[in-house]
């Protein structure tokens, strides 16, 4: 069954501050989104990678993406929310490529530049025959406090069975479109949430905390360190 990847990249990333949308902020010498594209376009298991841009995007064309051109499709149909961008992207992708109802779609945030190839392969291996699909996720390690009034703790939440959802999240094309259509204007922050609203239970595939989402300025520094560490290991291993 073919795998297609879709990267919603139509957000403004306002929590990072600044004018440049976060997917284009410089990270390890490249725009942030370059790292996710490199991994997904470099996987021989993924047939096509579609990136969803905001229709008003003026930044994409300022960079050189020619290294990915044989695998990459650019869809300028982002929406007001992440869910809308994914849904618009899925519809446009089907017009551009022969995607079947049962083909797998991997949705991956442009803001997760540190996804490792081994994690991607694990997700594909574990879910390829799954009836529903699922996502990379990590068990919550910290003790969780519910905030109350006056900046004080209202109570401690149990962390048992709690996971932090990551991307990629992987579902079959037609079911994902149906789920996102039904979710409509609701504030779904990931694709699995829309699938859950259909009464289905996505599989949790243990991921790794390095696959962080860059949201705040400190995350950029962490991502830089993770990518530098990987480059150093790669250089050491390749002699
Ligand atoms: O803002 P946040 O980090 O939750 O965004 C997650 C991903 O969704 C990012 O890759 C961002 O570009 C994308 N997004 C989008 N369309 C929006 C909002 C966010 O494609 N309207």
């Amino acid at each position: 069954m073919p795998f297609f990847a879709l990267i919603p990249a139509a957000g403004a990333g306002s929590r990072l501050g600044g004018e440049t949308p976060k997917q284009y902020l410089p990270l390890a010498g490249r725009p942030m989104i370059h790292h996710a594209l490199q991994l997904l376009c470099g996987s021989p298991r993924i047939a096509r990678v579609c990136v969803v841009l905001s229709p008003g995007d003026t930044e994409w064309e300022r960079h050189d993406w020619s290294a990915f051109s044989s695998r990459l499709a650019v869809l300028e149909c982002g929406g007001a929310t992440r869910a809308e961008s994914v849904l618009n992207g899925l519809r446009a992708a089907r017009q551009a490529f022969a995607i079947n109802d049962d083909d797998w779609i991997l949705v991956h945030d442009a803001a997760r530049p540190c996804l490792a190839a081994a994690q991607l392969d694990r997700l594909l291996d574990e879910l390829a025959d799954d009836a529903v699909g699922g996502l990379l996720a990590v068990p919550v390690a910290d003790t969780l406090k519910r905030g109350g009034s006056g900046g004080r703790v209202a109570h401690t939440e149990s962390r048992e069975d709690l996971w932090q959802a990551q991307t990629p999240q992987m579902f079959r094309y037609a079911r994902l479109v149906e789920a996102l259509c039904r979710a409509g204007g609701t504030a779904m922050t990931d694709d699995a949430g829309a699938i859950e609203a259909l009464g289905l239970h996505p599989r949790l595939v243990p991921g790794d905390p390095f696959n962080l989402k860059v949201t705040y300025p400190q995350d950029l520094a962490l991502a830089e360190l993770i990518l530098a560490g990987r480059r150093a290991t790669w250089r050491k291993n390749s002699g």
Side-chain angles (χ1 to χ4, degrees):
M1 207 60 79
F3 300 103
F4 291 87
L6 187 132
I7 304 183
S14 49
R15 283 171 291 185
L16 265 176
E19 293 284 292
T20 310
K22 73 174 164 184
Q23 54 272 26
Y24 297 115
L25 288 177
L27 176 65
R30 305 278 191 181
M32 189 188 308
I33 190 176
H34 186 281
H35 301 282
L37 285 172
Q38 187 164 38
L39 186 87
L40 293 168
C41 291
S43 168
R45 302 171 74 180
I46 295 183
R48 286 278 180 174
V49 179
C50 301
V51 61
V52 181
L53 303 183
S54 153
D57 188 305
T58 53
E59 189 67 29
W60 175 265
E61 62 193 22
R62 295 192 190 153
H63 305 276
D64 177 13
W65 309 103
S66 55
F68 309 129
S69 54
S70 61
R71 313 286 302 284
L72 184 62
V74 180
L75 310 170
E76 293 182 49
C77 57
T81 62
R82 181 190 182 282
E84 212 176 292
S85 295
V86 173
L87 183 56
N88 293 351
L90 288 170
R91 288 176 166 148
R94 192 172 225 179
Q95 280 179 2
F97 308 110
I99 300 180
N100 296 308
D101 281 357
D102 282 343
D103 288 346
W104 287 111
I105 304 292
L106 280 87
V107 183
H108 183 58
D109 287 341
R112 288 191 191 270
C114 302
L115 174 66
Q119 292 286 306
L120 174 64
D121 283 336
R122 180 172 191 186
L123 184 76
L124 298 181
D125 290 341
E126 291 208 15
L127 297 183
D129 297 320
D130 196 88
V132 176
L135 62 149
L136 287 176
V138 288
V140 168
D142 293 319
T143 298
L144 296 176
K145 303 292 183 192
R146 172 74 57 187
S149 58
R152 294 183 175 276
V153 174
H155 59 263
T156 299
E157 299 277 355
S158 167
R159 69 184 171 207
E160 207 182 312
D161 291 331
L162 281 187
W163 293 69
Q164 278 179 269
Q166 300 182 337
T167 67
Q169 303 197 348
M170 169 174 157
F171 300 102
R172 293 187 192 276
Y173 179 89
R175 187 172 278 157
L176 185 53
V177 169
E178 181 198 351
L180 290 167
C181 283
R182 288 217 200 169
T186 57
M188 281 300 167
T189 51
D190 74 350
D191 311 287
I195 297 285
E196 292 154 39
L198 296 180
L200 299 168
H201 300 281
R203 271 258 300 278
L204 291 161
V205 177
D208 112 28
F210 290 157
N211 182 22
L212 64 118
K213 186 167 83 162
V214 176
T215 305
Y216 301 107
Q218 306 90 303
D219 303 329
L220 256 183
L222 263 179
E224 190 92 37
L225 284 173
I226 293 166
L227 294 174
R230 269 201 207 134
R231 266 201 315 274
T233 308
W234 182 81
R235 272 196 223 106
K236 201 168 122 204
N237 293 342
S238 55

